[in-house]
Amino acid sequence: MDISTRRRLLEGMRRAHQADAAHTATARARTRAAMAAADARARLAHAEASGLSADKLEAARAAADGPARREQEARGKLCRTFTAARAANSTLGALYAPYARGRGTGGRDRSVIAAGILSELAETPRELVLAADAIVVSTSGGKDSLVCGDRVVTLAAEAGCLDKVVLVHADLGEESEWPGVRELAQRQAERWGVRFLVVKAEGGLLGLVEKRGMWPDAARRLCTASLKRDKIGPLFKQITDALGLDGQTLILSALDMRASNGRRMVLTWHPVLELTEAAVWRRIADAALEYHPVYDALIPRLSCVFCVLAGRDVLVRAVRLCWALGLDLPTRYVALEEHIGHRFREKLSIADIVAEATLAEAEEGPLIWVRGDALRRHAGEEAAAGYLRNLAAAA
Ligand code: SF4
């Protein structure tokens, strides 16, 4: 299957998915309208049986008219969305028939097929890069983003289309993140010679928690959606508008069907998904990619300082690192926890973490680390020494 066939199939799936979703929403609206109309009819019947005056009866009939009309409209809309969903699904079925091998294209099958097509596309990254109209690399500034950006930029440069690449960073602010993250992401873009865009999530995690009066958790990870994905999403429209293509714009990124529409298709692509942590560090060493210093202080991810998904030991270390860097975030987070009356985790409060960090600090003294420690741990002394030399030479 060539890339344009896969692209047509994905677009067919997106349309069928969208048409099904519209039909389901319309069916719900029709049920609500039918219930409201039935209520109105019952009230009218009651009024008619009560022997009301002609004026009052007229008013009761007028009041029942609105729900009856809305039910009629909802029925018409349901017919139209049913026809549209059937057409979109039969178009998809016809497109997919030559490759079906006994599989259907409805519901779960559709997600499985889409995932299969996306992973086949990922196996031909050069074709993918050449076919794309824009390549959006969303970077947290962390080690995986660093290697992902390096891979994409290398591929795009080899294919002669580096100008398609845009590096996008969601800036959560220093109330949430370690200092220097945005600046590091910008230096990465400058080094690669690609465009750099920043979207700002005002207030960051601290602001979000204060506003909602509760912490997100693994089951309701609203923070990623509202601080990152929802902020980056509008950029796809801007990119599509700026390109101004006649047909559908193909954007490579790491988002889902929700970001796609008739004017643009946003394909999911994870170029470093199969790499082990050791391989990521090896690539950082080999390409002398500048990583954030918090990794040297044994913080394994460049995430929010107090990430709701982080392990207890990482959180304790984060508190100690804040103290070593002179950051007042632990105090602010403890105050926020008290203020909203909701614990950071059901069985772990930020106050507990700070108490544990205080004990560790008393036993071990302040944290000490030196530049290159993360590489020493993951790739060895020699790799770290070479990395530091290359980094200094590139500065
Ligand atoms: S890093 Fe953690 S706390 Fe921050 S947005 Fe992501 S999941 Fe939420």
Side-chain angles (χ1 to χ4, degrees), residues 34-259:
M35 284 163 66
D39 271 359
R41 278 196 299 274
R43 277 197 302 275
L44 179 59
H46 179 72
E48 283 169 344
S50 310
L52 294 178
S53 67
D55 281 0
K56 288 191 175 162
L57 212 48
E58 190 55 34
R61 285 193 185 113
D65 273 357
R69 199 182 54 251
R70 283 193 285 279
E71 187 195 10
Q72 197 61 31
E73 286 165 2
R75 240 190 248 163
K77 206 166 171 192
L78 187 64
C79 279
R80 288 194 296 280
T81 57
F82 174 74
T83 308
R86 199 170 55 175
N89 278 286
S90 84
T91 305
L92 173 61
L95 271 176
Y96 189 61
Y99 318 95
R101 291 194 293 265
R103 281 178 298 191
T105 51
R108 203 175 159 274
D109 282 339
R110 194 182 299 154
S111 325
V112 173
I113 296 164
I117 293 175
L118 290 169
S119 72
E120 282 167 26
L121 284 170
E123 282 164 19
T124 53
R126 185 183 159 84
E127 256 187 82
L128 198 53
V129 162
L130 282 169
D133 299 304
I135 304 169
V136 177
V137 180
S138 169
T139 178
S140 67
K143 65 181 191 333
D144 294 333
S145 299
L146 194 53
V147 175
C148 174
D150 175 61
R151 276 200 158 186
V152 172
V153 162
T154 305
L155 270 166
E158 283 169 5
C161 53
L162 193 58
D163 58 330
K164 290 179 182 174
V165 181
V166 186
L167 203 66
V168 179
H169 175 66
D171 184 359
L172 271 52
E174 296 200 350
E175 306 89 357
S176 307
E177 293 185 304
W178 296 105
V181 174
R182 195 192 66 76
E183 292 80 356
L184 175 64
Q186 181 162 359
R187 284 199 297 280
Q188 289 164 358
E190 285 166 1
R191 171 180 165 171
W192 291 324
V194 297
R195 276 178 295 157
F196 180 61
L197 297 176
V198 177
V199 290
K200 188 109 180 83
E202 293 299 340
L205 180 64
L206 204 78
L208 178 82
V209 173
E210 194 162 24
K211 195 162 142 202
R212 290 176 39 82
M214 62 192 295
W215 301 89
D217 56 30
R220 284 154 303 192
R221 227 169 103 188
L222 298 166
C223 43
T224 315
S226 55
L227 299 177
K228 297 182 180 175
R229 198 185 60 214
D230 294 353
K231 301 288 170 197
I232 290 176
L235 283 181
F236 295 120
K237 179 176 183 326
Q238 287 175 26
I239 289 169
T240 307
D241 290 348
L243 286 169
L245 301 178
D246 287 339
Q248 192 188 41
T249 301
L250 178 63
I251 301 176
L252 288 191
S253 181
L255 276 189
D256 52 47
M257 296 278 197
R258 280 173 296 182

